[in-house]
């Protein structure tokens, strides 16, 4: 039988004003409506109402994970250092990792994600191809020492996550486990009522569908994604590609050197020559594993060093410093051009396609050159998508100008392949009696983050406004204040509760009807049933929290309607 | 609808041999049956079967906590140092506490228990006496850096706990919240099928019912409790009291000094004089907040320094060192007697009652005295129960000789009073408009520990043997091996599953019937249903895991019986 929660006993204290440190809608409303309370930066308590919402979300996730045959386990959060040293993530995580020592000096971490430990558990439990495939999941507290925990529970340092891992012997098996998760995630987010987009998380060059993100569009989101208004293309901005289209048949004049004193930047150059920055070619020098490499992009575009780093990983990319120019007469700072760089590897954005013509450095102090043509005057060693994507960039699929939107990452599915299985030698005995290396997938849903995303997407000016399956109750019964009204409210609440309806009933004494109505709007239960003016006639007012529609119903009608 | 779990797909690997490091039954069996897996000392993974048992226990706890009106919340495990510094527990916990720093050098701990944080949360959420009483609970991961994590999940360093806290304005209110918890705990442990005793956790002198422990008798237990075979008395050995009974009317000869060279210990003295050690009075010197104090107990009894410390807290008790005797001619090491100690405070066990006569030190090197009578030759400043309780000590209630038994502490209920409310100034506005200091209770159940306790109490030689409500399934269907048997097993499993019965079905191919039967006994589901020899006639064998009783049933009979 569903519980009847009485506001007079429930620990919920609503606030009229936004907390001083709150910038985002979910932070303001979840605190004001008494769902969460801050304990420290990025560390939160889930109060009774918040815990119910969290539980509703985990129930939906659990049901859908069970439905695809994933098995629930619970791994520790306090983890020994060694496996994370083996995978190199002990160092790679940098300051993001909470590290600690036990009484004997043994080193530990608080798990940010559990690929290493799941790999070891499965290595211990699974011996034959017959034991696979296996999909395991847990709903667990995770830790990341974010530099700037923000936006309430959206980006906490301690947070709830559902993480799952698949183990298969073949690439086809991994693709199937990935597909099952993708479909389960679509069902989960649909049931949660979360508007979401599935976007490619890595560029096509790196393997297409191997990784996708589930993004919930919201202004408070920290991710930007590109969305095609014409076709179904959507991608993390880091994954957007630009097609390489060589320009053929154009006649270009020969290279001409220009006197351009004091123009070491694109801005000064474009102004001096009276051309748009997009006509110039910017050549960024970086060190890749210590070797100087040039990266060419149109003068009006920025290089995304993160993207560049991902393309070149595991090589380490650094910016050049003044010292790197010592003894390099071929590198004239501010006046570099690809046509004179025989000794330097040249990477370029696909916009610098063969046949395109540019104004660029002449490799002499104070000089630039024009009519420098890609493929004629210089060769590109490798084309890479490294520019920061901008609104209006063409859709890689249909060419329409892309829209850029803010979103909250609520899920991520990822074909890991054999990276962790290689690290920990996770093999099973194959059908032919020989060991087979296992291939893995990893899949996450931010559970506490989903609460924030839902709040962002569904709230309105009055407050929170939960979808039915996620709301802390199905109906919020308000007793306007008089004894008769309270009696009726409690009677109806009990009847509804007995019928399996989850009821929150505001039976507080000494609280004005106005405050109760405002609180009901703020708390955001989908239906509000008021025992008010016509309580004496056993007539109640039913209000839809989202639409604001009201109607008067008799007690019997109200019970019939809400028990449906 | 209940799930049907197929062994062919479930990640469960049983072991024939006990793990090398396992000493206790629960550790051996939970590992061998594939319920848990060790990740590091005292840090465990709950595998699919173990997670189900854990979930069944938390469900029972949750239902009973909700039934008494406690509200579920979820607090963080990563906690800032400051509140624990305010309560002094940051230091008091010593090495038991996992401490860590974040990227900015801020100090944190992993919560071992949450009194401080709950007090702060309530201080923030509750303002008036009208908001109280409030009972809050959480089921959460806790951390204690045990010096010797042992016995599998019985004493982990990361473990699951249900902790709850009550907040009242009056002592009567606290007593009622305590009573509600006590009754809820009795219901919980009864539903879990845990044989348990409720014992006083502190001596009567400190406030009687203010703290009780729920102990599950088991040889693997780390606690010893005293149990009266005659009446209903049971207590933690630290809480057992000895009645103070003055001896009246006895005529004692005058004190006589004895020459007892080289008898600085009770053993050497008793041997020299040819008397039992119990005839002598041992005087232990300790420093209490730096002041030397003597503690008198019969020569055959040991002083429990922990008990002494608890009696004298917050004073700090230390043993004396050789240096402490410097300049103290009144203290003759090995020959101390209370009759010459005017300057020293004298504490004694109630066995040293007024009118009892003793052989004790004569405060001279190599000399003892006999006929030294309490109340005649020396005064006891304070009587305290400080001796280690022994089997056969009299029951404080009826005088019968006590039994000492080993047990696992599975629950603890505690009237905290105003300790934390004082520390954090937790007041609410009283009925008269003046602030009222809140009084608190704290109540814990070791959830992962309950799994270990249940395993210890219910297992037999064949393996685990769960009570129905806690078992990972209601019935374990075994397909003996042939295609016909597997078909029947799966058919019955599906029918049972559809009827709401939780089914584990062993449909593994290439596993011998013997191994399957052994695994079923080891895993310990209450009913085992075998599709074997008579599968062709649609006849199955139903075995009761605990009693071993077997009977043949038709498919319809088996389904009817198990769906009851």
């Amino acid at each position: 039988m569903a519980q009847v929660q009485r506001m007079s006993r429930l620990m919920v204290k609503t606030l009229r004003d936004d907390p001083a440190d709150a910038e985002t809608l979910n932070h303001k409303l979840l605190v004001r409506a008494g769902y969460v309370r801050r304990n420290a930066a990025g560390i939160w308590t889930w109060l009774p109402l918040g815990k119910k919402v969290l539980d509703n979300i985990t129930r939906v996730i659990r049901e859908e994970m069970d439905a695809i045959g994933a098995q629930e386990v619970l791994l520790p959060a306090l983890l020994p250092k060694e496996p994370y040293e083996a995978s190199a993530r002990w160092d790679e995580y940098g300051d993001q990792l909470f590290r600690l020592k036990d009484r004997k000096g043994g080193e530990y971490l608080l798990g940010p994600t559990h690929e290493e430990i799941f790999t070891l558990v499965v290595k211990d439990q699974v011996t034959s191809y017959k034991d696979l495939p296996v999909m395991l999941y847990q709903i667990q507290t995770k830790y990341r020492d974010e530099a700037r925990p923000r936006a309430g529970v959206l980006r906490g340092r301690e947070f709830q996550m559902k993480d799952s891992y698949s183990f298969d012997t073949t690439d086809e098996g991994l693709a199937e486990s990935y597909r099952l998760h993708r479909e389960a995630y679509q069902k989960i987010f649909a049931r949660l009522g979360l508007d979401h987009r599935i976007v490619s998380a890595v560029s096509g060059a790196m393997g297409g569908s191997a990784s996708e993100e589930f993004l919930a569009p919201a202004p408070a989101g920290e991710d930007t994604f590109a969305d095609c208004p014409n076709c179904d293309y959507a991608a993390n901005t880091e994954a957007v590609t630009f097609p390489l289209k060589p320009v053929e048949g154009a006649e270009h004049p020969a290279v001409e050197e220009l006197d351009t004193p004091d123009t070491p930047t694109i801005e000064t150059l474009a102004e001096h020559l009276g051309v748009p920055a997009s006509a110039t070619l910017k050549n960024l020098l970086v060190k890749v594993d210590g070797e100087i490499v040039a990266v060419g992009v149109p003068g009006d575009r920025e290089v995304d060093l993160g993207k560049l780093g991902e393309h070149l990983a595991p090589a380490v990319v650094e910016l050049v410093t003044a010292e790197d120019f010592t003894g390099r007469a071929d590198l004239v700072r501010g006046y570099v051009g690809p046509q004179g760089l025989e000794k330097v590897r040249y990477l370029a954005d696909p916009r610098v396609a063969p046949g395109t013509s540019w104004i660029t450095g002449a490799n002499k102090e104070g000089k630039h050159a024009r009519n420098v043509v890609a493929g004629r005057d210089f060769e590109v060693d490798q084309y890479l998508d490294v520019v920061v994507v901008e609104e209006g960039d063409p859709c890689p699929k249909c060419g329409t100008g892309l829209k850029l939107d803010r979103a909250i990452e609520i899920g991520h599915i990822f074909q890991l392949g054999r990276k962790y299985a290689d690290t920990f030698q996770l093999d099973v005995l194959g059908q032919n009696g020989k060991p087979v290396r296992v291939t893995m997938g990893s899949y996450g849903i931010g559970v506490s983050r989903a609460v924030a995303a839902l709040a962002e997407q569904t709230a309105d000016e009055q407050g929170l406004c939960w979808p039915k399956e996620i709301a802390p109750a199905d109906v919020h019964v308000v007793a306007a204040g008089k004894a008769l009204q309270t009696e009726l409210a409690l009677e109806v609440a009990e009847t509804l509760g007995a019928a399996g309806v989850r009821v929150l009933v505001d039976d507080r004494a000494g609280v004005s009807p106005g405050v109760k109505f405002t609180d009901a709007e703020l708390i955001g239960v989908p239906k509000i049933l008021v025992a008010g003016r016509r309580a004496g006639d056993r007539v109640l007012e039913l209000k839809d929290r989202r639409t604001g529609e009201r109607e008067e119903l008799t007690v019997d009608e109200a019970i019939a309607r809400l028990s449906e």
Side-chain angles (χ1 to χ4, degrees), chain A residues 62 71 207 274 295 305 371 377 397 419 423 437 542 551:
Chain A
R62 202 165 260 135
Q71 303 174 48
V295 182
L305 286 171
N371 307 325
D377 305 312
K397 220 163 149 182
K419 173 172 159 43
T423 302
R437 180 109 325 162
L542 180 65
E551 55 184 319

Side-chain angles (χ1 to χ4, degrees), chain A residues 9-209:
Chain A
R9 297 180 190 162
L10 193 69
M11 194 176 73
V12 53
K13 180 182 160 194
T14 56
L15 305 172
R16 288 293 152 258
D17 297 315
D18 291 333
D21 58 339
E23 287 166 13
T24 55
L25 192 62
N26 82 83
H27 185 174
K28 289 174 189 169
L29 290 177
L30 289 170
V31 170
R32 280 184 45 203
Y35 282 68
V36 299
R37 179 191 177 275
R38 184 181 174 281
N39 296 97
I43 298 178
W44 292 84
T45 285
W46 294 86
L47 295 169
L49 288 177
K51 182 65 166 63
K52 282 184 197 299
V53 168
L54 205 57
D55 286 348
N56 290 337
I57 292 180
T58 54
R59 179 177 41 74
V60 168
I61 293 175
R62 202 165 260 135
E63 286 171 6
E64 298 298 339
M65 293 310 295
D66 289 345
I68 61 166
Q71 303 174 48
E72 188 171 3
V73 295
L74 181 62
L75 270 63
L78 179 63
L79 303 173
K81 172 188 186 180
E82 292 71 22
Y84 287 77
E85 232 176 5
S87 71
R89 295 211 289 187
W90 176 264
D91 292 322
E92 280 172 15
Y93 263 111
D95 284 346
Q96 286 261 102
L97 208 58
F98 282 107
R99 297 176 181 83
L100 68 159
K101 290 186 181 179
D102 73 0
R103 60 161 71 211
K104 291 177 179 163
E107 293 190 89
Y108 291 80
L109 61 115
L110 299 181
T113 170
H114 279 66
E115 281 78 3
E116 288 83 349
I117 310 298
F118 269 91
T119 308
L120 289 171
V121 167
V122 168
K123 185 180 163 78
D124 194 45
Q125 297 288 321
V126 163
T127 49
S128 156
Y129 73 95
K130 284 187 269 182
D131 301 330
L132 296 184
V134 154
M135 295 187 287
L136 301 172
Y137 77 99
Q138 61 175 351
I139 294 172
Q140 199 215 25
T141 306
K142 296 270 191 280
Y143 296 89
R144 282 182 207 165
D145 195 359
E146 301 284 353
R148 276 171 297 280
R150 60 177 285 277
V153 294
L154 181 60
R155 192 178 193 83
R157 297 200 292 169
E158 171 171 325
F159 55 96
Q160 304 299 312
M161 216 177 124
K162 188 286 297 180
D163 49 329
S164 46
Y165 305 86
S166 65
F167 299 85
D168 284 275
T169 49
T170 63
D171 293 348
E172 295 71 36
L174 169 57
E176 175 64 8
S177 297
Y178 183 90
R179 187 186 66 77
L180 286 169
H181 271 90
R182 194 178 197 273
E183 286 181 13
Y185 277 32
Q186 286 178 289
K187 283 187 193 158
I188 290 166
F189 295 128
R191 284 181 64 184
L192 297 186
L194 263 172
D195 172 27
H196 67 281
R197 303 294 301 263
I198 305 178
V199 306
S200 302
V202 289
S203 72
M206 289 191 73
S209 67

Side-chain angles (χ1 to χ4, degrees), chain A residues 438-512:
Chain A
V438 169
T439 181
M440 291 168 57
S442 115
Y443 317 89
I445 292 178
V447 177
S448 33
R449 166 169 287 202
V451 178
L454 264 172
E456 289 284 339
Q457 284 191 345
T458 59
D460 59 22
E461 280 162 23
Q462 278 71 49
L464 297 164
C465 189
W466 301 107
K468 183 172 164 56
E469 186 147 7
I470 302 313
D474 297 315
V475 57
H476 190 137
V477 180
V478 177
K482 290 184 190 140
L484 179 78
Q485 294 163 334
T486 305
E487 260 169 50
L488 184 64
L490 287 173
E491 177 204 321
V492 171
E494 286 303 324
T495 310
L496 287 170
V501 179
R502 301 171 303 142
V503 184
L504 185 65
V505 53
D506 195 345
D507 60 335
R508 290 177 294 175
V511 175
S512 77

Side-chain angles (χ1 to χ4, degrees), chain A residues 266 269-270 273 275-282 297-300 357-360:
Chain A
I266 294 294
L269 174 66
L273 296 176
V275 297
S278 59
T280 70
L281 177 62
K282 176 157 73 178
V297 301
D300 61 337
S357 172
W358 303 90
I359 297 166
T360 190

Side-chain angles (χ1 to χ4, degrees), chain A residues 309-384:
Chain A
E310 275 179 29
H311 278 300
L312 300 177
V316 176
V317 177
E318 297 164 289
L319 288 173
V320 293
T321 61
E323 286 173 16
D324 295 315
F325 290 87
T326 319
R328 293 293 298 258
D330 59 332
L331 301 177
V332 185
R333 276 195 105 172
Y335 299 93
V336 172
Q339 69 284 12
L341 294 183
E342 281 82 19
K343 293 188 214 150
V344 173
R345 189 147 66 100
Y346 195 70
L347 313 178
D349 181 72
R351 289 167 183 82
V352 191
T356 55
S357 172
W358 303 90
I359 297 166
T360 190
N363 301 306
K364 294 176 190 160
E365 188 70 29
K367 306 273 185 190
H368 279 85
R370 81 165 122 210
N371 307 325
V372 180
V373 178
R376 181 187 78 179
D377 305 312
F378 66 93
E379 293 298 327
V380 173
D381 293 305
Q382 192 179 356
Y383 281 103
L384 291 177

